[in-house]
Amino acid sequence: MSESRRRSSSDDDVKYARGSGARVPPGQRPLRPLEWAVLTHLAIFLVGTTWAFGGAADWLRPIIAWWGSLGVLLTLTAIQDRDARRDGWMRPLAWLWPLAAFNVLVLVGCLNPSFRALAYGTETILVNTGARPGLPSSARPALALHALWLFDAIWISCLNLALVIRQRRALRGLLFLAVVNALALAVFGTVQKLAQAKGLFFDAVPSPQLYFFASFVYHNHWGAFTVLMSSACLGLVWHFARRSESRDFFHSPAFGGLVALLLLAATAPLSTSRSCTVLLILLLGTAFLHWVWRLVQKRRRFKESVAPALLGGFAALLVAAAGIWFVARESITTRVATTRQQLGEMRARGDVGARGELYRNTWQMAKDRPWFGWGMASYPHVFTLYNTRKSVDKLPVFYRDAHSDWLQALAEHGFVGTACLGLLGLVPLLGLRRRHWFNALPFYLFLGCTLILLYAWLEFPFGNLAVVLSWWLCYFTAVHYARLYDREAPSPVKAGSASA
């Protein structure tokens, strides 16, 4: 008896002795203060930006930028950790070089202004004074610096996930909070829509756009945000469906996730965003085919029929479609009628109308300065020189965005600057291996990000700060979640240490 007690006591002494924390599995260690700081900072960043008109209010942008800038302080704090540098946690710092190159291009362009502001009575007129040819330039240096500040604050804040977070469960917790926030916005927007409010926050704030939803000024921006949050929700559903310890599926978190996904998906047609409704159909269709494939594999393994489960799945799809139709019937029928009218007008003219003209003019703007473009945040000011559209009332037509983020990037940053932006997304992927893509959570996050990138050819989702922040948050979460597989995998115990 005394010998067994002494053995138990000695085992406890070893287990809880100083320096024995390495024996705790990485996924079960308590979060460090810096990890909590990064997660809290990003959570407040995302929630605050989404509810603050999606970051579309100009007077809120400095506040958003200052809050995002705290991410730089967290990055500098993380760099001071010598143990993290020794263990390889600081390798994502190598991903910063495209951001540094992009910053150099923008800052050099600010030293080479191509427009000058002249006061004419109570108005300010921009005069094209030219710039040194062959060098980066800027039409509005002050606006370029502010836009760069916002972009850097968002990118570095999301990069902190890869630098600081050590556990996948922490990333899942952040995604869960993001989905819950999106669900709250969806419910708020649905009630606001059904109440037939004419302005934001139940008519408290006039909306500059006829089509708005929840706190977002533009419905297509809400749609892009919904696609990203739906992809995060799908990834969480797959994770909990495969690892649930509940009695059955209907008592697991995965079932609650599917209900949340249905509510999120219903807001796309309810907000009258046709393009994002199509994106959500593609996203949900991929998930359904994925489920069917896994189901067939599982049933064949146990030599069971797949018919009952497939019939149940199709029945669930029909019920979900009926529910969405019941909630968004009026919005869907209105937009379908508008689409038919627009297609008829396009066939009568023989082209795609104003959107095609806008794209041609933007491409002409990009071709005039192909290497470095006209400068960050210069599009609405320079495009007036290229706009050939004539309105019916003969008033000037003003475009704030090109309705194609890819074309606008070429016009503002040229091929060199656009390549730097592309490398910001490509460089972190270089360290991933084939095995890292097998998990459903990073797969669906990457799928959502890819759909928004494709959507950016035809719209301007990245013209909204909340979408930009959500995109980079989902992207870095997917990259780091995949990388953490190797970190959290249990290492084999050596025979010598086991015998000791």
Side-chain angles (χ1 to χ4, degrees):
M1 178 69 70
S2 60
E3 183 180 354
S4 63
R5 285 181 178 177
R6 283 195 301 271
R7 185 182 300 112
S8 176
S9 175
S10 62
D11 290 344
D12 289 343
D13 291 341
V14 172
K15 180 178 180 181
Y16 297 107
R18 178 178 297 181
S20 62
R23 298 191 179 187
V24 180
Q28 299 178 9
R29 295 173 184 169
L31 294 177
R32 299 169 300 131
L34 186 58
E35 290 179 283
W36 278 114
V38 168
L39 294 172
T40 303
H41 173 254
L42 269 174
I44 297 175
F45 201 0
L46 179 66
V47 174
T49 304
T50 53
W51 284 92
F53 310 105
D58 291 337
W59 63 274
L60 283 171
R61 289 186 169 228
I63 300 175
I64 295 173
W66 278 113
W67 178 260
S69 299
L70 294 178
V72 179
L73 299 179
L74 295 174
T75 304
L76 295 176
T77 303
I79 296 174
Q80 305 304 313
D81 191 341
R82 295 181 179 179
D83 292 337
R85 294 200 302 270
R86 184 186 64 245
D87 296 338
W89 288 105
M90 294 295 107
R91 289 175 184 171
L93 289 175
W95 304 344
L96 280 167
W97 70 264
L99 183 70
F102 181 73
N103 275 257
V104 169
L105 288 176
V106 175
L107 293 176
V108 170
C110 291
L111 300 176
N112 187 25
S114 55
F115 279 70
R116 186 160 57 97
L118 296 178
Y120 184 77
T122 59
E123 298 181 356
T124 301
I125 300 176
L126 294 178
V127 179
N128 185 6
T129 58
R132 293 184 179 88
L135 294 176
S137 63
S138 175
R140 301 294 302 274
L143 296 180
L145 291 174
H146 190 267
L148 182 65
W149 179 22
L150 277 168
F151 182 79
D152 287 350
I154 290 174
W155 199 89
I156 293 176
S157 295
C158 295
L159 173 70
N160 286 336
L161 291 174
L163 288 175
V164 175
I165 304 302
R166 304 290 190 262
Q167 303 169 27
R168 287 177 292 170
R169 65 183 178 91
L171 297 176
R172 292 194 298 268
L174 180 62
L175 287 180
F176 177 79
L177 178 64
V179 171
V180 169
N181 175 64
L183 183 61
L185 280 165
V187 173
F188 169 72
T190 301
V191 175
Q192 182 176 252
K193 184 76 173 182
L194 296 178
Q196 298 182 348
K198 303 300 181 183
L200 297 162
F201 293 96
F202 292 96
D203 297 327
V205 180
S207 175
Q209 289 281 349
L210 176 62
Y211 299 110
F212 63 91
F213 192 83
S215 59
F216 283 64
V217 175
Y218 187 43
H219 62 161
N220 282 340
H221 289 159
W222 166 259
F225 174 73
T226 303
V227 170
L228 291 170
M229 293 299 102
S230 297
S231 66
C233 189
L234 270 172
L236 291 173
V237 166
W238 273 100
H239 171 80
F240 288 112
R242 296 182 61 186
R243 292 166 173 81
S244 175
E245 298 178 356
S246 303
R247 288 172 292 174
D248 53 46
F249 175 79
F250 294 100
H251 292 85
S252 71
F255 178 71
L258 283 181
V259 174
L261 182 63
L262 174 63
L263 293 174
L264 282 173
T267 61
L270 185 61
S271 68
T272 67
S273 177
R274 296 168 293 182
S275 51
C276 290
T277 300
V278 175
L279 293 181
L280 276 170
I281 291 174
L282 293 174
L283 179 66
L284 298 179
T286 302
F288 183 74
L289 293 177
H290 183 194
W291 173 77
V292 170
W293 178 68
R294 292 295 300 270
L295 178 66
V296 170
Q297 280 191 326
K298 182 177 180 181
R299 294 282 179 167
R300 284 180 175 175
R301 190 181 308 122
F302 293 100
K303 298 181 179 180
E304 299 176 349
S305 174
V306 300
L310 286 179
L311 289 176
F314 280 111
L317 277 182
L318 291 176
V319 172
I324 293 175
W325 172 259
F326 177 78
V327 174
R329 178 177 62 253
E330 183 178 351
S331 298
I332 293 174
T333 54
T334 301
R335 296 303 281 174
V336 167
T338 303
T339 301
R340 289 176 177 173
Q341 179 184 353
Q342 291 174 343
L343 290 175
E345 293 174 354
M346 290 179 187
R347 283 194 296 267
R349 288 193 305 263
D351 58 23
V352 295
R355 184 63 65 90
E357 184 178 8
L358 174 62
Y359 291 163
R360 288 191 297 271
N361 293 337
T362 302
W363 175 239
Q364 185 59 48
M365 175 181 167
K367 287 197 300 182
D368 284 351
R369 294 197 177 181
W371 294 110
F372 304 109
W374 291 85
M376 197 170 192
S378 65
Y379 183 83
H381 309 287
V382 178
F383 186 69
T384 56
L385 302 176
Y386 295 88
N387 188 9
T388 61
R389 186 183 175 190
K390 306 296 181 182
S391 61
V392 177
D393 53 11
K394 298 183 179 180
L395 292 176
V397 180
F398 178 78
Y399 285 98
R400 184 184 181 91
D401 300 277
H403 288 266
S404 171
D405 282 328
W406 287 97
L407 277 177
Q408 185 165 336
L410 288 173
E412 291 189 341
H413 308 296
F415 287 102
V416 176
T418 304
C420 290
L421 291 175
L423 288 172
L424 283 173
L426 290 176
V427 170
L429 299 179
L430 298 179
L432 298 184
R433 299 294 181 265
R434 186 177 180 182
R435 64 181 181 274
H436 293 143
W437 300 84
F438 289 156
N439 187 273
L441 184 54
F443 169 78
Y444 280 108
L445 290 174
F446 281 130
L447 178 59
C449 291
T450 302
L451 288 174
I452 297 303
L453 281 178
L454 296 175
Y455 183 49
W457 281 100
L458 303 174
E459 260 294 348
F460 60 114
F462 296 113
N464 180 267
L465 284 181
V467 175
V468 175
L469 176 57
S470 301
W471 196 93
W472 284 110
L473 188 148
C474 290
Y475 174 81
F476 276 116
T477 300
V479 171
H480 194 47
Y481 197 92
R483 294 173 68 245
L484 282 176
Y485 274 120
D486 299 333
R487 290 280 186 173
E488 291 193 4
S491 57
V493 180
K494 297 180 181 179
S497 61
S499 60

